[in-house]
Amino acid sequence: DVKVTQSSRYLVKRTGEKVFLECVQDMDHENMFWYRQDPGLGLRLIYFSYDVKMKEKGDIPEGYSVSREKKERFSLILESASTNQTSMYLCASSSGSLGGQETQYFGPGTRLLVL
Amino acid sequence: AQKVTQAQTEISVVEKEDVTLDCVYETRDTTYYLFWYKQPPSGELVFLIRRNSFDEQNEISGRYSWNFQKSTSSFNFTITASQVVDSAVYFCALSEASGNTPLVFGKGTRLSVIA
């Protein structure tokens, strides 16, 4: 079974703090993704990566950065957290045989509250 | 550009009723992939099905069935004899085969099954 884990289920941070959200997958997948989910807006893609040290901007990259130093780990960084970044963050991974078209498998999500 | 529309924001049914969740998509590609995911209250998105554009056969898996109709660009999902455990948010998603485009998700349909 594919296993995608995220470092925290719930996180509370203060405005201006630097926040790291970690995601690890154990299936040797090439592709990894970060989404945020907000009521009424569905899932929106923040960043994705098709290989180690590679990153691509998604639909809403502003205010975020990412790091992929190892194949199994994809980190989302909020350089200076703001209240409008309060959200549910979901990480996903997929195998790379068809680029972005393979099934994505999701982690349990991190609910981030920025005060 | 690819787009997925789930017109039903919320649906409530009584247990044992059948329910159909609609999904309409837009794409210019002839080769593409369609997905359904379930998000229970715990938050993790669970993969349900992946279909490619050349496979128009309807699929049945237990109480779940999917009706893919290219003529109307629809990929609808039916739950037969619904149960309380089916209560969740359901997402339809699309990925085009050209390039390395990630999944595009609909905004989701929240299904509540009442005992």
Side-chain angles (χ1 to χ4, degrees):
Chain A
D1 272 357
V2 177
K3 186 87 171 164
V4 180
T5 57
Q6 294 183 229
S7 49
S8 307
R9 291 300 302 269
Y10 301 93
L11 212 50
V12 180
K13 295 293 181 181
R14 297 220 172 264
T15 303
E17 278 192 75
K18 191 169 186 175
V19 181
F20 292 88
L21 302 182
E22 305 284 343
C23 176
V24 176
Q25 50 92 7
D26 67 357
M27 284 303 292
D28 201 35
H29 282 172
E30 286 78 7
N31 311 319
M32 296 188 76
F33 308 84
W34 274 107
Y35 296 88
R36 65 176 281 177
Q37 182 180 11
D38 300 288
L41 298 178
L43 275 76
R44 294 180 292 168
L45 182 64
I46 305 172
Y47 268 98
F48 58 104
S49 170
Y50 287 141
D51 203 350
V52 176
K53 296 197 187 293
M54 242 204 67
K55 61 183 179 184
E56 299 274 352
K57 292 181 180 178
D59 300 318
I60 51 163
E62 297 77 21
Y64 303 94
S65 62
V66 289
S67 171
R68 188 143 182 227
E69 296 296 319
K70 292 185 177 181
K71 191 176 185 180
E72 68 271 18
R73 187 180 297 270
F74 192 36
S75 303
L76 180 68
I77 303 156
L78 287 66
E79 294 289 343
S80 178
S82 63
T83 54
N84 63 13
Q85 292 178 310
T86 291
S87 186
M88 168 76 138
Y89 290 88
L90 291 158
C91 175
S93 73
S94 68
S95 65
S97 58
L98 289 177
Q101 293 81 41
E102 285 289 353
T103 300
Q104 290 186 21
Y105 295 92
F106 284 80
T110 296
R111 293 186 189 275
L112 173 66
L113 172 62
V114 182
L115 299 173
Chain B
Q2 48 186 339
K3 184 180 176 183
V4 175
T5 301
Q6 295 180 255
Q8 305 149 308
T9 308
E10 294 192 34
I11 301 176
S12 285
V13 298
V14 176
E15 205 172 19
K16 296 183 186 171
E17 283 185 357
D18 298 347
V19 58
T20 295
L21 309 182
D22 298 333
C23 173
V24 174
Y25 61 91
E26 293 176 29
T27 177
R28 279 178 264 180
D29 270 22
T30 55
T31 304
Y32 51 89
Y33 302 84
L34 295 162
F35 301 78
W36 275 96
Y37 285 85
K38 173 182 179 180
Q39 186 180 39
S42 59
E44 182 172 344
L45 264 77
V46 177
F47 165 70
L48 296 178
I49 190 171
R50 174 177 179 265
R51 241 6 211 327
N52 75 57
S53 52
F54 296 108
D55 183 1
E56 289 191 70
Q57 277 193 331
N58 290 332
E59 173 124 359
I60 298 174
S61 176
R63 295 183 298 105
Y64 294 173
S65 63
W66 290 268
N67 182 4
F68 178 26
Q69 291 200 333
K70 284 175 83 168
S71 60
T72 55
S73 297
S74 65
F75 186 45
N76 296 337
F77 173 31
T78 297
I79 302 174
T80 303
S82 59
Q83 300 176 1
V84 172
V85 293
D86 296 327
S87 297
V89 181
Y90 291 87
F91 290 95
C92 181
L94 163 73
S95 182
E96 293 171 338
S98 60
N100 272 335
T101 54
L103 293 182
V104 170
F105 285 85
K107 289 191 166 41
T109 298
R110 180 177 298 277
L111 173 65
S112 298
V113 181
I114 304 160

